[in-house]
């Protein structure tokens, strides 16, 4: 897995590269299915490339009926790949109710109802627990609360203090999860109580949600704005 097949170094200021990324806009269905509180926009206040970084910023503001804004971008229809190493170098935000993620969905997600399309969460993080991230798969019979997941915690450090590299190496019968080149989990067909749906191309998503079922609502200690910084995203085969 040494040949680079996609990279975004986020070194051109302005909007994200339109040949690679599209935007999800709005609140989705039922807060994107998780009772989330943000309205996703394509405004530079919420998403911009500057100083060699992609910056996704959650803001507390009244906008289109929502109390928060943020952003969610995806490579659907522009970059979709089966198998390989997918990695991103990210500095995470923090605070109760902040929920950033680097994840992937099956390219057939429009024609097949989730979770049949498959979901690979390379990195999810809850801002009230800044020492821990987790990697997860969702599929038929093992989605939502029944997903297959494992967490990884830093010792004497926090993910909002510095950049870390979050990655998977994905092959026909395995998904290996890495943080800073530490292999902390492997998921195989034997580990899932249902159909293995990870033999199709997937596309990439970067987003930061606010609130929702998993992180809960921000509280009085949550400082806004909060920004997720992405130094690069790279895919190898």
């Amino acid at each position: 897995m040494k040949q680079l097949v996609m990279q975004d170094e986020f070194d051109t200021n302005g909007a994200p590269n339109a040949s690679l990324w599209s935007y999800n806009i709005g609140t989705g269905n039922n807060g994107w299915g998780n009772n989330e509180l943000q309205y996703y926009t394509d405004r530079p206040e919420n998403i911009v490339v500057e100083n060699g970084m992609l910056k996704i910023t959650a803001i507390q503001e009244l906008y289109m009926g929502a109390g928060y804004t943020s952003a969610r971008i995806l490579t659907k229809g522009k970059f979709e790949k089966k198998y390989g190493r997918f990695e991103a170098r990210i500095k995470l935000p923090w605070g109760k109710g902040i929920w950033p993620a680097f994840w992937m969905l099956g390219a057939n997600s429009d024609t097949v109802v989730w979770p049949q399309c498959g979901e690979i969460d390379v990195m999810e993080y809850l801002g009230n627990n800044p020492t821990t991230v987790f990697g997860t798969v969702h599929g038929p019979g093992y989605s939502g609360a029944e997903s297959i997941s494992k967490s990884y915690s830093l010792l004497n450090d926090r993910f909002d203090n510095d950049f870390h590299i979050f990655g998977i190496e994905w092959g026909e019968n395995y998904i290996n999860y890495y943080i800073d080149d530490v292999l902390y989990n492997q998921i195989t067909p034997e580990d899932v109580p249902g159909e293995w749906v990870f033999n199709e191309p997937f596309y990439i998503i970067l987003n930061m949600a606010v609130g929702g079922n998993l992180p809960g609502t921000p509280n009085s200690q949550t400082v806004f704005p909060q920004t997720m910084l992405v130094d690069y995203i790279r895919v190898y085969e």
Side-chain angles (χ1 to χ4, degrees), residues 18-65:
S19 68
L20 196 53
W21 301 102
S22 304
Y23 303 89
N24 281 137
I25 302 290
T27 56
N29 182 23
N30 178 34
W32 300 101
N34 305 295
N35 294 301
E36 296 162 31
L37 303 176
Q38 79 289 334
Y39 191 102
Y40 285 134
T41 86
D42 58 0
R43 304 177 305 159
E45 298 98 302
N46 295 117
I47 183 157
V48 69
V49 177
E50 59 184 17
N51 304 323
M53 307 280 166
L54 174 70
K55 300 180 176 181
I56 297 180
T57 300
I59 302 169
Q60 185 172 16
E61 60 179 336
L62 286 173
Y63 186 88
M64 302 292 287

Side-chain angles (χ1 to χ4, degrees), residues 22-191:
S22 304
Y23 303 89
N24 281 137
I25 302 290
T27 56
N29 182 23
N30 178 34
W32 300 101
N34 305 295
N35 294 301
E36 296 162 31
L37 303 176
Q38 79 289 334
Y39 191 102
Y40 285 134
T41 86
D42 58 0
R43 304 177 305 159
E45 298 98 302
N46 295 117
I47 183 157
V48 69
V49 177
E50 59 184 17
N51 304 323
M53 307 280 166
L54 174 70
K55 300 180 176 181
I56 297 180
T57 300
I59 302 169
Q60 185 172 16
E61 60 179 336
L62 286 173
Y63 186 88
M64 302 292 287
Y68 304 88
T69 57
S70 186
R72 170 161 142 167
I73 57 172
L74 61 165
T75 66
K76 182 180 179 182
K78 297 181 176 183
F79 177 81
E80 298 171 346
K81 173 140 179 49
K82 180 169 83 167
Y83 308 151
R85 179 176 173 88
F86 297 72
E87 67 176 30
R89 185 171 184 262
I90 302 173
K91 184 179 180 184
L92 292 167
W94 78 284
K96 168 81 171 159
I98 304 292
W99 184 12
F102 163 39
W103 54 297
M104 299 162 58
L105 281 175
N108 59 353
S109 59
D110 282 346
T111 55
V112 174
V113 175
W114 183 92
Q116 183 69 38
C117 62
E119 175 179 329
I120 301 171
D121 301 322
V122 184
M123 181 280 301
E124 271 187 292
Y125 164 92
L126 302 180
N128 61 322
N129 187 8
T131 62
T132 300
V133 299
F134 42 100
T136 307
V137 296
H138 301 257
Y142 51 98
S143 64
E146 282 78 50
S147 61
I148 307 300
S149 186
K150 189 169 182 180
S151 65
Y152 179 91
S153 298
L154 295 173
L155 289 174
N156 306 313
D157 200 2
R158 294 164 47 138
F159 283 104
D160 61 318
N161 284 342
D162 206 348
F163 286 87
H164 294 273
I165 299 170
F166 305 96
I168 58 163
E169 290 188 359
W170 167 32
E172 185 177 356
N173 290 304
Y174 64 90
I175 303 169
N176 290 342
Y177 284 79
Y178 292 88
I179 294 176
D180 300 325
D181 293 324
V182 175
L183 173 64
Y184 75 96
N185 197 24
Q186 178 178 71
I187 299 174
T188 70
E190 289 69 50
D191 298 314

